[in-house]
Amino acid sequence: MVFRILGPLDISAGGAPVTLTGARQRTIMSMLLLAPNRVVSVETLADAVWNGRPPATARNQIAICVSALRKTLKATVGADDVLVTSHPGYMLFAGEHRIDAVEFEERAALGREAARSGRPEEACAHFEEALAMWRGPALEGITAERAQAEATRLNEMRLDVHEEHAGLRLEMGHHRELIGELTAFVREHPLRETAKAHLMLAQYRSGRRAEALETYRDGQRLLAEELGIDPGPALQELHEEILADSPRLTLPAEPVALVPSATVPAQLPSAVASFTGRRRELAALDTLLDHLGGPALPVGSLTGIGGVGKTALAVHWARQVAVRFPDGQLFADLRGYDEEEPRRPSAVLDRFLRALGVPAPQIPADQNERTALFRSVLDGRRVLIVLDNARSFQQIRPLLPGSGRCCVLITSRDPMGGALAGDYAFVPLHLDALGQDEAIALLSRVVGDDRLTGDPVAAARLAALCDGLPLALRIAAARLTAKPHWTVRSLVARLEDQHRRLDELSPDERGVRAGLRLSYRDLPEATARMFRLLATVNVPDFAAWAGAALLDIDPLDAEDLIEELVDAQFVVPVGTTTGHVRYRFQGLPRLFARERALAQDAAPDLRRAVRRVLGAWLALAAEAHRRVYGGDYTVLHGPAPLHPLPAHLTDSLLQDPMEWFESERTAITGLVEQAARDAESAFAWDLTMTSVTLFQNRNYLEDWRHSCEAALAAARQTGDRLGEAVMLHSLGTLEIVEWSYDRAGEHLTDALRLFEELGQDQGRALVLRNLALCARHDGELDHARDLGHRSLEIFRAVGDRYAEAHVLGMLAQVELERGDPRASLQLSSEAVARSRALGTARGEAQSTVRLAEALLHQGDGQRAEEAGRRALDLVRAGGDRRGEAHALRALGEALWCQGRTLEAEEAVREALRVAGKVPDRYLEGRARVVLGSLVLLHGDAAGAAECFTAADELFAGIGTSFWQERARQLGEVVRGGAVPGSQDLFALVQP
């Protein structure tokens, strides 16, 4: 198949067109074609299809569209492996199929490489082939904003190639032929200064000096009018040279022969055969060439962790631009991070001077004199100097020439910008790991067979396990090459074992472990200890306060140590949350740090450090819970020791307690898992219990269950009966949230027995409250009321005022369902007052929704609306999505009660949208019942029937027989054909 996006979307197979039906299919195919062989998430596709406003059913609709695309491709060409499902979305597996955008970029890259290597005719041929692929603006006709944003990038690349092509043709003397073409190009793209410069130069060389100056004035006027700026320095300089008839503007009479003399050094190592990608980095290094001949020496710096490919990139670029340095290329491995001592600058100078033709007797012994001679020899020469594996600025400073006609490229694990910036034309470049596509391309280039292309999912996992480090990737590829009977998954299985991964990637003294060891060797002791201890904590990322707890030091001192690890490329900053920078390890450095911790730190010391950091997270979680609930309410703590942080730091972190919980969610679940595995059950269950604030508020139910089950297993293993009771209670609460009331009852009954045996009154009360909810669900309203009052008495006795307010609200709901709205109104009003006095927005919102429902039963729609809007403000301020759906549904019913049915429908539709995002089937069912009634009143019987059927299925799925029966009654009303009055319908949607 041929996929073309450089113009309108066009697909053909064997020359026959393949037709896609519908804008959504075309948008999805465009997004996949823009990222071939890469997974595009469902969220990204939905964002593109619906321009940032996807409906609740977006995931299903995307799946339907992808399925239809697969059927189309299979029906037309028999291809069923082009669109691949791969978490978290889909991937277009290009294989042997052609994509014009990919071929365009490949041709353009070949053209640039040929241009760098001094082969202009070949470069022009590649550029012409690339430009010929265009049929119009990329993805013309696709209106999706996200697709158009990427199409804009392709269009810009087309313009760049056009300008590079024109520049080469100018160098080749084709100025007369270019004038017409460039005039049209500049007219179409008047703000592109490079094209304008090309046109001016072509006009000047063609003897049309006045036209060249007019072209400049036109551009100058346009920039001033459109943007309020002057032309850039390059265009201004060209203008001045045209005015002065500078000889630099004329072509040389004949090409300069770059014939090396006997003393021209060519010391660059051979290029790495498997070098892949790095186009952005190569382009950045090319900017060094712009400074040649200037007042300052061009100096480039490549930094990054060992094994990231600094030397390979430096050599690859140096070989591409070597033709620009006819007086030679010098290369030295300075051994800054080797087992041997770093090379002395004096020794390197000796070797460089000999290579430049200085007789040995004339080389002075003093280093300063050698530097002076080195600079004298290089004066006026064009020499490229690559200083590989440098340790410090002090090591390279004597090796820097004084002439701007030379160029220096340095590779190092440490940044030297502080010493180099300002005095030199400095181009710093930090080298990150390869992206997935480039990593897989490197693997494929070394392996040389179809094992990687045949299993793209395993190939992507292999690249991830190697951290995208070229060194690790080449070693992994070499393993596959040596074992042709292995599949990619065979090697992936070996690397998945964290105890084996470094061994597999360290076959000799040049492997991954050796490179990490050399960087680790030079860390100060305190920094090395921070490195080791951070790796023992099972979190994906962390802030400096976690390091402070591990070492039991001041947080600012901890931040300094972690920043030293950043400088050493061992950890990377990943952004800021709650006002604090967060850091993370890559996989391989973390494994190495854990190895070092086990080898160098005593087990009791490691245990104490981990307990301190667990205590710090628990202390912060407990304080966050207190700030959300107004006190230490509805939660049970155990004997796990806390490690409080300084008060000012705690206040800074917890300015928004729920934001802090959100930022630490994956850390909390990882720590619970680690504490459970290490038999630290008190930490595991206390952290889980305290974090239910997050899990329930933000609907992270899988995290809740995983943490509960891990902590429960640890409690049972260690004989921690209080922890067992607390986790059984928490699991019971989770089952209620998920509408599994039978399982909830089993957990809660076991928890109640343990709490009674332990004499733990607050635990008993919490369980009794939840058992009351179970009884209410089963229709045993009198029993629910009795259990609720029993729990209320205990909560009042132990002083848990938040739980007291919650039970009052629950009892208000029970009384409403028992048919006593007056009692419900009294209880809910008391619940609101208690919650407000506590300052707990979530509790007040829950009680206010129940107050609204009680008011609706008394027909007071206006006061119910006020209550609904108050509840909505509270839950939105706290980010409580489940509470938002409840409040919106109650608000919709309050508006309906007042006869404002159109406003009511709008509110309920919003409630349905939020409920679908939570997701909560009960909430969605309640909202559909109300929405169906409203659209029925508005004359849409088919829409109403659809709503009632969906509600019936939702309520059946969670076992709520009362509401299921109501949904069926409403469905029968629709089927009966007669639309009842608004009040009759309203009565059917009330409890």
Side-chain angles (χ1 to χ4, degrees):
M1 282 188 291
V2 178
F3 298 94
R4 299 200 294 172
I5 61 175
L6 302 181
L9 175 64
D10 179 81
I11 305 174
S12 61
V18 177
T19 304
L20 303 184
T21 59
R24 291 179 185 174
Q25 285 190 24
R26 294 173 64 80
T27 297
I28 290 171
M29 180 59 80
S30 298
M31 292 297 294
L32 295 173
L33 284 169
L34 287 167
N37 300 315
R38 299 201 305 272
V39 177
V40 182
S41 70
V42 173
E43 287 73 17
T44 299
L45 294 174
D47 183 73
V49 170
W50 286 281
N51 283 329
R53 297 179 294 277
T57 57
R59 183 173 291 274
N60 288 337
Q61 293 192 51
I62 294 294
I64 291 169
C65 283
V66 172
S67 177
L69 285 169
R70 284 180 176 143
K71 289 179 181 176
T72 298
L73 297 179
K74 187 172 179 61
T76 53
V77 293
D80 56 3
D81 61 346
V82 178
L83 300 184
V84 179
T85 301
S86 181
H87 182 76
Y90 303 95
M91 177 176 70
L92 187 141
F93 177 47
E96 298 300 317
H97 307 297
R98 295 175 56 196
I99 302 173
D100 62 353
V102 173
E103 294 181 355
F104 166 74
E105 293 195 43
E106 289 173 349
R107 290 284 188 279
L110 289 171
R112 291 185 178 114
E113 186 170 346
R116 289 192 192 102
S117 302
R119 305 191 306 276
E121 294 85 356
E122 181 184 336
C124 283
H126 287 308
F127 285 150
E128 286 165 7
E129 290 175 6
L131 292 169
M133 298 177 185
W134 286 79
R135 300 167 291 115
L139 288 175
E140 187 176 11
I142 301 297
T143 59
E145 294 175 3
R146 193 149 190 159
Q148 278 304 312
E150 183 63 18
T152 299
R153 182 187 72 86
L154 289 170
N155 291 328
E156 287 295 317
M157 289 178 62
R158 176 191 189 184
L159 300 181
D160 290 343
V161 170
H162 196 289
E163 289 175 342
E164 292 174 60
H165 185 212
L168 277 176
R169 292 170 66 193
L170 276 172
E171 291 181 15
M172 295 165 64
H174 300 169
H175 39 273
R176 295 185 185 280
E177 302 96 305
L178 275 168
I179 290 178
E181 179 183 329
L182 284 170
T183 300
F185 186 87
V186 168
R187 187 182 301 115
E188 187 175 353
H189 308 285
L191 299 180
R192 294 187 71 93
E193 294 192 22
T194 299
K196 198 173 294 292
H198 288 340
L199 176 57
M200 290 169 60
L201 186 56
Q203 290 169 328
Y204 179 82
R205 287 180 176 173
S206 300
R208 296 156 70 169
R209 182 171 179 264
E211 291 181 25
L213 295 172
E214 182 61 29
T215 298
Y216 177 80
R217 286 192 291 272
D218 288 344
Q220 185 182 42
R221 185 169 51 252
L222 179 69
L223 289 171
E225 292 173 356
E226 295 286 330
L227 304 175
I229 61 174
D230 292 326
L235 205 58
Q236 291 185 40
E237 183 180 348
L238 176 61
H239 177 245
E240 292 170 2
E241 289 179 333
I242 291 174
L243 287 172
D245 283 322
S246 170
R248 292 181 56 188
L249 300 182
T250 59
L251 284 170
E254 57 186 42
V256 178
L258 303 179
V259 180
S261 68
T263 57
V264 172
Q267 296 183 344
L268 295 176
S270 59
V272 176
S274 59
F275 183 86
T276 304
R278 301 296 194 193
R279 293 180 182 176
R280 181 187 65 83
E281 291 85 353
L282 288 167
L285 290 175
D286 281 345
T287 62
L288 286 168
L289 305 178
D290 299 335
H291 299 286
L292 289 175
L297 174 70
V299 178
S301 170
L302 292 175
T303 59
I305 192 172
V308 79
K310 301 182 294 296
T311 302
L313 174 60
V315 171
H316 186 83
W317 180 79
R319 286 198 158 276
Q320 285 187 344
V321 301
V323 69
R324 299 287 297 271
F325 300 93
D327 298 315
Q329 306 90 44
L330 299 171
F331 180 91
D333 179 0
L334 300 183
R335 294 197 311 227
Y337 292 88
D338 277 7
E339 296 288 0
E340 305 174 57
E341 286 295 313
R343 288 190 188 278
R344 291 178 295 106
S346 180
V348 178
L349 284 167
D350 179 79
R351 191 163 65 82
F352 279 177
L353 288 168
R354 290 170 187 268
L356 290 166
V358 178
Q362 296 181 20
I363 298 176
D366 180 76
Q367 178 178 297
N368 292 331
E369 293 181 8
R370 285 185 180 182
T371 297
L373 178 59
F374 179 60
R375 290 172 179 168
S376 297
V377 170
L378 290 180
D379 186 46
R381 295 194 187 186
R382 288 181 288 174
V383 175
L384 174 63
I385 304 167
V386 180
L387 303 175
D388 187 39
N389 198 12
R391 181 53 186 269
S392 65
F393 178 66
Q394 287 70 30
Q395 187 186 25
I396 65 167
R397 186 175 186 177
L399 308 177
L400 299 178
S403 169
R405 292 173 65 81
C406 294
C407 179
V408 179
L409 181 58
I410 304 160
T411 76
S412 178
R413 298 187 188 182
D414 292 324
M416 301 181 193
L420 290 165
D423 293 334
Y424 302 92
F426 183 49
V427 178
L429 192 62
H430 178 78
L431 210 57
D432 292 317
L434 294 175
Q436 179 178 295
D437 291 351
E438 291 182 339
I440 294 174
L442 189 155
L443 289 165
S444 300
R445 186 166 293 183
V446 177
V447 174
D449 56 35
D450 60 358
R451 279 179 286 177
L452 288 146
T453 56
D455 192 346
V457 175
R461 181 58 183 156
L462 179 57
L465 288 168
C466 292
D467 281 353
L469 287 178
L471 173 62
L473 292 164
R474 282 195 291 271
I475 292 171
R479 300 292 308 278
L480 287 174
T481 303
K483 301 286 184 182
H485 54 285
W486 280 9
T487 65
V488 180
R489 291 177 187 267
S490 302
L491 184 54
V492 166
R494 288 171 167 266
L495 297 184
E496 290 278 14
D497 184 347
Q498 294 190 9
H499 300 291
R500 298 179 58 98
R501 192 180 310 166
L502 279 176
D503 292 334
E504 296 285 341
L505 297 175
S506 304
D508 54 35
E509 69 279 359
R510 293 173 297 174
V512 172
R513 183 184 280 113
L516 292 169
R517 184 177 65 250
L518 292 172
S519 291
Y520 173 76
R521 176 192 63 184
D522 297 307
L523 292 177
E525 175 50 37
T527 311
R529 186 161 184 258
M530 176 68 82
F531 175 58
R532 298 193 303 269
L533 293 183
L534 282 170
T536 65
V537 184
N538 186 31
V539 295
D541 51 62
F542 51 86
W545 58 262
L550 279 167
L551 270 66
D552 199 13
I553 59 176
D554 183 85
L556 288 179
D557 292 337
E559 186 174 46
D560 289 342
L561 294 178
I562 294 172
E563 284 296 331
E564 289 182 25
L565 292 174
V566 172
D567 292 341
Q569 318 295 329
F570 275 132
V571 300
V572 293
V574 290
T576 303
T577 57
T578 63
H580 293 259
V581 178
R582 297 188 74 82
Y583 308 87
R584 68 169 173 82
F585 279 99
Q586 288 184 297
L588 296 172
R590 182 193 288 273
L591 292 178
F592 177 77
R594 286 177 180 169
E595 281 187 358
R596 292 293 84 216
L598 293 174
Q600 293 182 237
D601 296 289
D605 291 340
L606 291 177
R607 187 177 183 87
R608 280 192 292 270
V610 172
R611 285 171 66 85
R612 282 195 300 270
V613 82
L614 287 169
W617 253 286
L618 182 55
L620 285 169
E623 180 59 26
H625 174 92
R626 279 190 287 272
R627 296 187 184 203
V628 171
Y629 282 82
D632 237 341
Y633 303 128
T634 72
V635 66
L636 298 169
H637 292 302
L642 303 182
H643 185 84
L645 298 174
H648 71 277
L649 178 57
T650 299
D651 288 339
S652 172
L653 289 166
L654 300 181
Q655 285 183 355
D656 184 337
M658 289 309 300
E659 183 187 357
W660 179 84
F661 264 127
E662 188 75 55
S663 69
E664 300 294 343
R665 176 171 67 94
T666 51
I668 287 170
T669 54
L671 289 167
V672 169
E673 187 178 89
Q674 180 176 2
R677 185 178 62 245
D678 294 345
E680 295 281 5
S681 64
F683 281 112
W685 69 257
D686 201 338
L687 191 53
T688 298
M689 180 68 170
T690 309
S691 300
V692 170
T693 308
L694 166 71
F695 298 147
Q696 187 167 6
N697 230 7
R698 298 291 171 88
N699 210 54
Y700 294 125
L701 304 186
E702 290 183 8
D703 290 341
W704 187 356
R705 182 176 298 281
H706 176 76
S707 298
C708 271
E709 290 176 347
L712 177 60
R716 284 172 169 166
Q717 178 187 351
T718 59
D720 184 348
R721 297 173 70 222
L722 176 60
E724 182 180 0
V726 172
M727 288 298 92
L728 285 168
H729 153 70
S730 191
L731 276 172
T733 307
L734 172 59
E735 301 294 1
I736 289 173
V737 170
E738 293 192 322
W739 294 89
S740 299
Y741 280 88
D742 291 340
R743 294 172 63 186
E746 295 172 5
H747 291 313
L748 294 169
T749 301
D750 291 342
L752 183 62
R753 174 181 53 79
L754 286 168
F755 280 132
E756 287 174 342
E757 291 174 3
L758 294 166
Q760 223 293 339
D761 288 339
Q762 188 176 11
R764 285 178 54 228
L766 289 170
V767 174
L768 288 169
R769 178 195 65 179
N770 284 354
L771 286 171
L773 291 171
C774 292
R776 175 190 161 222
H777 174 266
D778 293 339
E780 300 175 6
L781 297 179
D782 290 341
H783 187 41
R785 183 175 64 171
D786 292 342
L787 289 168
H789 280 290
R790 285 173 60 190
S791 69
L792 185 62
E793 291 174 8
I794 301 174
F795 284 134
R796 283 173 171 164
V798 300
D800 191 336
R801 291 177 290 162
Y802 184 93
E804 178 187 353
H806 183 268
V807 172
L808 285 168
M810 180 194 70
L811 288 170
Q813 192 72 30
V814 170
E815 295 295 357
L816 197 63
E817 293 170 7
R818 290 181 72 250
D820 192 345
R822 293 185 64 183
S824 176
L825 184 60
Q826 181 179 349
L827 287 163
S828 56
S829 298
E830 185 179 356
V832 170
R834 297 291 174 88
S835 298
R836 190 171 295 165
L838 285 171
T840 165
R842 186 166 186 265
E844 183 183 348
Q846 291 175 340
S847 300
T848 303
V849 169
R850 293 193 174 102
L851 175 63
E853 291 179 332
L855 289 167
L856 286 171
H857 268 271
Q858 293 195 331
D860 193 343
Q862 185 175 350
R863 287 177 62 199
E865 180 188 351
E866 293 172 1
R869 293 193 186 280
R870 168 67 179 165
L872 192 57
D873 289 342
L874 289 167
V875 294
R876 281 178 171 167
D880 181 357
R881 291 179 292 227
R882 188 186 302 275
E884 184 180 0
H886 273 297
L888 283 165
R889 192 258 312 154
L891 176 61
E893 292 179 10
L895 293 167
W896 180 7
C897 183
Q898 299 174 72
R900 294 151 62 187
T901 55
L902 289 175
E903 295 176 65
E905 182 179 337
E906 184 180 348
V908 176
R909 286 191 185 278
E910 180 67 7
L912 186 60
R913 185 188 66 80
V914 176
K917 283 189 173 182
V918 171
D920 187 312
R921 289 173 291 173
Y922 173 77
L923 275 171
E924 191 177 346
R926 288 287 304 273
R928 286 195 181 279
V929 163
V930 180
L931 180 62
S933 301
L934 288 167
V935 299
L936 182 60
L937 288 174
H938 296 151
D940 184 1
E946 183 180 342
C947 283
F948 297 144
T949 300
D952 184 359
E953 294 172 355
L954 288 164
F955 291 134
I958 57 179
T960 52
S961 56
F962 174 84
W963 283 108
Q964 186 181 2
E965 180 58 30
R966 284 290 178 88
R968 289 180 176 174
Q969 288 178 17
L970 289 163
E972 290 171 2
V973 167
V974 175
R975 286 189 290 274
V979 179
S982 179
Q983 290 185 349
D984 293 334
L985 271 178
F986 187 78
L988 284 174
V989 304
Q990 297 301 300

